[in-house]
Amino acid sequence: MSATEMNGKELSKKIRTELAGEVLQLKQNGVTPHLTVIIVGDDPASQSYVRGKEKASAEVGMSSDIIALPSSTSEQDLLGQIDRLNKHDSVHGILVQLPLPDHINEQHVIESISPEKDVDGFHPVNIGKMMTGNSTFLPCTPYGIITMLKAHDVRMEGKHVVVAGRSNIVGKPVGQLLLNENATVTYCHSKTENLTDYTKEADILILAMGRANVIRGEHVKNGAVIVDVGINRLEDGTLTGDADFASTAAKASKITPVPRGVGPMTITMLLKNTIKAARGLSAVGK
Ligand code: NDP
């Protein structure tokens, strides 16, 4: 079998065109969706992600701003900034770029963002709603994965999904969303014994470990659907996923490339969440 590529860049383009239409409509009703991104410190990767979010917001007609704070910023100062933004009516989405410097407690920061403006979907209130299958802001990468699977008509109900990775931002929530879609979910992590015994059994394999090319063709089932979330930079500068693309694509029925796979979908879902937040405000006439 040779896999069909699930191209996140192309799907994102299509979704972003639809989102631009929604933004236009909101603007006609006097609401311009606005995202504020806070970045603390000067990590180059974080700076590049933040610029990507700003560019994508502009592309769909949303407004955004970046609050860049020095790495010496205290937790109290950061919480003060978030409190101000929580109260600001024209700010619909607040995103604090992670990771934060060691002296700042990430969980305190996540919990300080108003759940109505938590467009990353990391606040415990929103995670709880997701767990119970209620409407909420879904975390962007898992939301992007589910959207992609649906767009490619991948049947999830009754299927065995294996998720390799259990982080709070990718592995755990994507498994939960697939459970909500009536899949049977197995989680694997760094303490899992014989990982490939599980990957070989997956109808849908989600790879979110950050381990370059570790899953090869012999580790996947014939016809499996593979979603490779991993982004790993090799010594020569190229980006690769957790799957060895050539050998796994030869056996899979569908697979996401790296890059141009899950990555663009993550930002697209952030835009979607921010528009949803803006709709919430317009609904109460603010
Ligand atoms: P984390 O480092 O937070 O989590 C990695 C997870 O993988 C952990 O649960 C860890 O287990 C598990 N793991 C690590 N090594 C192994 C192994 N050898 N066997 C089995 N499990 C293993 O990473 P993130 O979840 O934040 O990100 C995962 C990958 O996805 C990264 O490459 C990241 O760059 C990428 N990413 C891509 C995004 C996108 O938009 N495409 C968005 C976010 C992340 P344990 O819990 O036991 O430590």
Side-chain angles (χ1 to χ4, degrees):
M1 183 160 305
S2 183
T4 307
E5 190 174 287
M6 296 190 283
N7 187 307
K9 199 167 176 197
E10 281 169 17
L11 180 58
S12 279
K13 206 169 158 195
K14 188 169 158 249
I15 297 173
R16 289 184 197 186
T17 304
E18 291 162 12
L19 294 179
E22 285 184 43
V23 170
L24 198 64
Q25 232 177 18
L26 276 166
K27 281 179 164 173
Q28 282 162 357
N29 293 327
V31 178
T32 301
H34 184 92
L35 173 69
T36 294
V37 180
I38 302 180
I39 178 168
V40 185
D42 46 18
D43 174 57
S46 293
Q47 284 175 335
S48 149
Y49 293 143
V50 164
R51 279 195 302 274
K53 287 162 187 173
E54 187 180 37
K55 188 166 162 258
S57 301
E59 265 170 32
V60 299
M62 283 170 33
S63 64
S64 69
D65 69 322
I66 298 172
I67 300 179
L69 302 171
S71 54
S72 58
T73 304
S74 69
E75 184 176 313
Q76 202 183 6
D77 282 352
L78 177 58
L79 295 180
Q81 293 269 4
I82 294 170
D83 186 48
R84 183 179 62 77
L85 296 167
N86 281 339
K87 293 176 181 145
H88 204 307
D89 277 354
S90 58
V91 173
H92 305 108
I94 304 168
L95 182 152
V96 178
Q97 186 64 43
L98 301 177
L100 290 166
D102 288 345
H103 65 277
I104 300 179
N105 182 316
E106 258 175 34
Q107 200 53 31
H108 290 169
V109 172
I110 290 169
E111 290 179 21
S112 74
I113 298 172
S114 160
E116 290 78 31
K117 298 190 179 191
D118 168 42
V119 287
D120 246 346
F122 295 164
H123 193 286
V125 166
N126 290 325
I127 293 170
K129 286 184 178 174
M130 178 192 68
M131 296 279 294
T132 49
N134 285 298
S135 170
T136 183
F137 296 116
L138 298 176
C140 300
T141 301
Y143 189 13
I145 293 169
I146 293 286
T147 303
M148 198 177 224
L149 291 174
K150 288 185 176 170
H152 288 272
D153 295 322
V154 174
R155 186 181 155 87
M156 294 171 256
E157 183 165 317
K159 297 297 174 192
H160 184 202
V161 176
V162 174
V163 183
R166 57 170 169 181
S167 73
N168 289 335
I169 63 167
V170 186
K172 277 185 205 156
V174 78
Q176 181 63 49
L177 290 182
L178 283 152
L179 180 64
N180 293 356
E181 298 289 338
N182 296 320
T184 302
V185 181
T186 301
Y187 287 97
C188 299
H189 44 79
S190 69
K191 306 289 186 290
T192 298
E193 291 178 4
N194 305 321
L195 172 70
T196 57
D197 285 354
Y198 298 91
T199 60
K200 279 182 209 161
E201 294 298 318
D203 298 314
I204 301 173
L205 180 59
I206 313 281
L207 299 170
M209 296 178 286
R211 297 283 178 264
N213 300 331
V214 291
I215 300 299
R216 296 187 303 275
E218 65 265 33
H219 305 141
V220 302
K221 189 169 163 176
N222 260 327
V225 173
I226 303 176
V227 176
D228 195 348
V229 190
I231 301 176
N232 310 290
R233 195 171 286 281
L234 300 178
E235 273 178 16
D236 66 2
T238 52
L239 288 182
T240 182
D242 291 354
D244 170 58
F245 189 81
S247 64
T248 51
K251 275 182 95 178
S253 59
K254 294 186 168 79
I255 189 167
T256 59
V258 178
R260 298 182 310 283
V262 177
M265 293 299 291
T266 297
I267 296 193
T268 301
M269 296 302 117
L270 172 69
L271 304 176
K272 196 162 178 162
N273 279 346
T274 307
I275 293 167
K276 183 173 177 174
R279 279 195 195 289
L281 272 185
S282 63
V284 292
K286 287 187 183 170

